[in-house]
Amino acid sequence: MHLLKQFSFSKRFPEIEVVGSAFAGKQDDLIPLSFGFPAPESLPVDKMTAATEAAMNTQGRQALAYSGGTGPKNILNWIKERSKLREIEATEKEIIVTAGSSQAIDLITRTLTDPGDEIWVEAPTFFGALKTFRLAETNLLSFPIDEHGLRVDLVEQELIQRVKNNLPLPKLMYIIPNYQNPGGVNLSIERRKRLAELAYEYNFFIIEDDAYVELSFNKNYTPAIYSFGPERVIYLSTFSKIIAPGLRLGWAIGLKEIIEKMQILKIDGLTSVYVQEVTKNLLEQIDMDEQINNLNSIYLSRKNAMVSAIKQHFGEDVSFHEPQGGFFLWLTFPDDIDTSEFVDAAMLAGVSYIAGKHFFLQNEGYNHMRLCFTFCEEEIIQEAIKRLAKTYYEHVNSKQMIEEAN
């Protein structure tokens, strides 16, 4: 038997905390309000089966080869045409199809930054993006959001001070403009325009992560930030939220020079040409507007069920911005509450959520939690909130008893 010697992992790995409750899935009675999953019944299983059969019958060997059949070209054209709804005009050479939008974030980061460069983000923001930026060894700075999205005025103030004091400027600004993850807010059109102007003035790029744009309950669509600054914005979106996350198909739209560099770094070549072939066939079968309307009908009902249950079981003890689209509701507790302290208790009670601290750079956000309203049916959501409230009040009472005893 060989004696194993010690070995070391790459120094690229920073200390990143695993998001605990989000990975809990084996408890039989667990109601998952943690990760952002679509409604299971919304997944087009029958049509996907037919699309897969068509891929083999019509493209067969080509679809299984490295360069694929007709799928990749057709997907590019679909993205180009669909993007016009966001007031985005792009050529095929300005689009790259990726393995989900998360791969696009990684490719952009590695294309435009070196270790030590500045990336600025919202607070709170998507923890997956934070993980990517940390692995790239960049320096991160965050700016708060309000009911109108990112506080662009604070970004501008920081840029002015950086220039005045001869300090580094950002290479990238990462933003989720529609139904922000986790805040659920939308960036106002005035702030979109101003942020694009600042990107030109101070020569940084904006990563516009627009995964939730189609999921608008009131069908109000604001032009993409990209439409105000195409030379300084890289626009991302995905099929994950409108068809199925298992496809792992997303895309990025940006300057041809940037897309070319991203393609060089994308060592896996073309993104699953077979999956693109199947997706192309599916898109030919379905009415996308009808698909979106169906999703929004389901998600609006489930969001309303969650809002109603929170008001019933928490009353005035919590607050939240009621989102008009997307996947998530961002719950705010009193300042002295740390939601990470009762994650495990909630799991034992049969409900999971993501504690607020995971969405921030600094030691903040402890009195928040993110809840997903899209996966579970209404009555299950109501039961989950009931369990969550019971867990919370037991936690509060326990804290009070300990404080009184001391």
Side-chain angles (χ1 to χ4, degrees), residues 320-332:
F320 54 90
H321 167 84
E322 185 171 347
Q324 296 306 310
F327 269 36
F328 305 112
L329 192 147
W330 184 237
L331 205 57
T332 302

Side-chain angles (χ1 to χ4, degrees), residues 223-295:
I225 305 171
Y226 182 100
S227 68
F228 303 115
E231 295 88 4
R232 282 297 174 268
V233 180
I234 306 163
Y235 180 87
L236 313 183
S237 199
T238 177
F239 287 111
S240 293
K241 307 301 185 288
I242 58 175
I243 296 180
L247 294 176
R248 304 312 304 137
L249 282 183
W251 61 89
I253 300 174
L255 288 175
K256 182 170 70 72
E257 297 88 338
I258 292 176
I259 297 301
E260 288 173 349
K261 291 292 193 298
M262 290 171 65
Q263 287 170 333
I264 292 171
L265 291 178
K266 194 176 182 300
I267 59 173
D268 57 341
L270 290 174
T271 299
S272 185
V273 292
Y274 179 73
V275 172
Q276 290 194 60
E277 190 69 41
V278 173
T279 303
K280 180 265 294 187
N281 290 332
L282 179 70
L283 292 171
E284 290 175 351
Q285 291 182 44
I286 66 174
D287 181 323
M288 182 54 73
D289 291 330
E290 182 179 319
Q291 168 80 356
I292 297 300
N293 288 338
N294 180 54
L295 289 173

Side-chain angles (χ1 to χ4, degrees), residues 14 24 65 67 89 106 129-130 140 147 164 168 196 234 250-251 292 326 340 368 372 379:
S67 57
E89 296 287 342
D106 176 62
L130 293 179
L140 300 174
E147 66 272 20
K164 181 178 178 180
I234 306 163
W251 61 89
I292 297 300
S340 64
H368 298 278
C372 174
E379 60 272 19

Side-chain angles (χ1 to χ4, degrees), residues 2-265:
H2 295 288
L3 180 65
L4 290 177
K5 297 179 180 179
Q6 287 189 334
F7 61 94
S8 61
F9 292 102
S10 167
K11 294 179 180 179
R12 294 185 185 90
F13 288 97
E15 292 185 7
I16 298 176
E17 185 177 357
V18 174
V19 184
S21 70
F23 296 103
K26 294 184 178 179
Q27 188 173 325
D28 290 339
D29 65 342
L30 186 73
I31 302 174
L33 302 184
S34 49
F35 265 19
F37 295 139
E41 68 272 28
S42 74
L43 302 176
V45 175
D46 292 342
K47 290 178 180 178
M48 186 63 73
T49 301
T52 303
E53 184 176 352
M56 295 306 297
N57 289 338
T58 61
Q59 293 295 311
R61 291 182 175 84
Q62 288 83 1
L64 295 171
Y66 278 118
S67 57
T70 61
K73 183 173 180 59
N74 279 273
I75 291 295
L76 279 176
N77 187 63
W78 186 93
I79 293 168
K80 182 175 65 174
E81 293 303 311
R82 191 74 183 178
S83 298
K84 291 177 181 178
L85 296 177
R86 316 279 84 86
E87 300 191 18
I88 295 173
E89 296 287 342
T91 67
E92 290 184 5
K93 292 186 177 180
E94 294 172 316
I95 304 170
I96 182 172
V97 176
T98 57
S101 53
S102 290
Q103 186 186 45
I105 295 170
D106 176 62
L107 291 172
I108 294 165
T109 304
R110 290 192 290 127
T111 296
L112 290 174
T113 70
D114 292 309
D117 282 342
E118 295 264 333
I119 298 180
W120 292 1
V121 301
E122 299 166 294
T125 191
F126 172 45
F127 53 75
L130 293 179
K131 181 178 179 180
T132 297
F133 302 147
R134 284 169 171 149
L135 287 172
E137 301 178 81
T138 58
N139 295 326
L140 300 174
L141 183 66
S142 62
F143 297 85
I145 63 172
D146 61 19
E147 66 272 20
H148 303 296
L150 174 70
R151 287 286 305 277
V152 175
D153 60 322
L154 298 182
V155 174
E156 184 170 6
Q157 289 176 23
E158 181 66 21
L159 289 167
I160 292 170
Q161 289 301 313
R162 291 288 178 115
V163 171
K164 181 178 178 180
N165 297 304
N166 196 30
L167 295 172
L169 293 173
K171 284 286 192 73
L172 293 173
M173 177 95 217
Y174 174 76
I175 183 167
I176 306 171
N178 293 305
Y179 314 112
Q180 198 251 12
N181 177 10
V185 298
N186 286 18
L187 188 67
S188 68
I189 191 166
E190 294 79 15
R191 294 186 186 185
R192 292 173 192 237
K193 291 177 180 178
R194 185 57 186 150
L195 188 61
E197 291 170 354
L198 292 173
Y200 282 105
E201 184 176 351
Y202 293 92
N203 198 31
F204 61 87
F205 282 89
I206 298 165
I207 303 178
E208 182 177 10
D209 189 352
D210 210 10
Y212 305 97
V213 61
E214 300 275 13
L215 304 179
S216 173
F217 303 152
N218 54 19
K219 298 185 179 180
N220 288 338
Y221 300 102
T222 306
I225 305 171
Y226 182 100
S227 68
F228 303 115
E231 295 88 4
R232 282 297 174 268
V233 180
I234 306 163
Y235 180 87
L236 313 183
S237 199
T238 177
F239 287 111
S240 293
K241 307 301 185 288
I242 58 175
I243 296 180
L247 294 176
R248 304 312 304 137
L249 282 183
W251 61 89
I253 300 174
L255 288 175
K256 182 170 70 72
E257 297 88 338
I258 292 176
I259 297 301
E260 288 173 349
K261 291 292 193 298
M262 290 171 65
Q263 287 170 333
I264 292 171
L265 291 178

